[in-house]
């Protein structure tokens, strides 16, 4: 997890466990888009993104959804879900 040092509150949580019924190392990007919808952004993960979640694989994509004050990022390696990050905007 990542916290805001000034408020000591959690601002991001990363997990490689199953999230919202999506199974890590099984679920594809298309399956999430079919379930959650197409209102998302897809981009390449930066080194900082990868360091936070502990992935050391190039060509990692992030599928991002924004809901009210939260951001939900799904990380994919070779089109398979690896990690999910939930953070505040």
């Amino acid at each position: 997890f990542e916290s805001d040092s000034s408020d000591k509150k959690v601002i991001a949580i990363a997990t490689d466990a199953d999230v919202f019924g999506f199974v890590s190392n099984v679920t594809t990007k298309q399956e999430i888009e079919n379930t959650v919808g197409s209102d998302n952004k897809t981009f390449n993960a930066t080194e900082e993104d990868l360091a936070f979640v502990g992935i050391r694989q190039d060509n990692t994509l992030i599928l991002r959804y924004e809901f009210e004050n939260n951001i939900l990022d799904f990380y994919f390696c070779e089109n398979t879900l690896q990690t999910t990050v939930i953070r505040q905007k």
Side-chain angles (χ1 to χ4, degrees):
F1 73 94
E2 183 177 287
S3 65
D4 180 348
S5 59
S6 63
D7 292 339
K8 301 291 188 208
K9 66 180 181 178
V10 174
I11 58 171
I13 297 173
T15 181
D16 58 3
D18 300 349
V19 174
F20 306 118
F22 301 123
V23 181
S24 293
N25 296 310
V26 173
T27 303
T28 66
K29 182 176 175 285
Q30 188 64 50
E31 289 173 301
I32 291 177
E33 288 178 318
N34 289 345
T35 302
V36 182
S38 61
D39 187 22
N40 62 63
K41 299 174 188 170
T42 302
F43 51 94
N44 292 320
T46 65
E47 286 188 32
E48 184 178 332
D49 295 325
L50 297 176
F52 176 66
V53 297
I55 295 176
R56 290 172 174 70
Q57 191 167 348
D58 292 337
N59 300 324
T60 299
L61 291 179
I62 296 175
L63 178 65
R64 174 171 288 171
Y65 289 91
E66 295 186 19
F67 301 101
E68 297 176 7
N69 294 325
N70 299 300
I71 296 171
L72 181 59
D73 286 341
F74 295 101
Y75 285 66
F76 294 89
C77 295
E78 297 181 11
N79 198 38
T80 303
L81 179 64
Q82 300 298 308
T83 300
T84 305
V85 176
I86 302 167
R87 72 176 71 237
Q88 292 179 331
K89 284 186 182 178

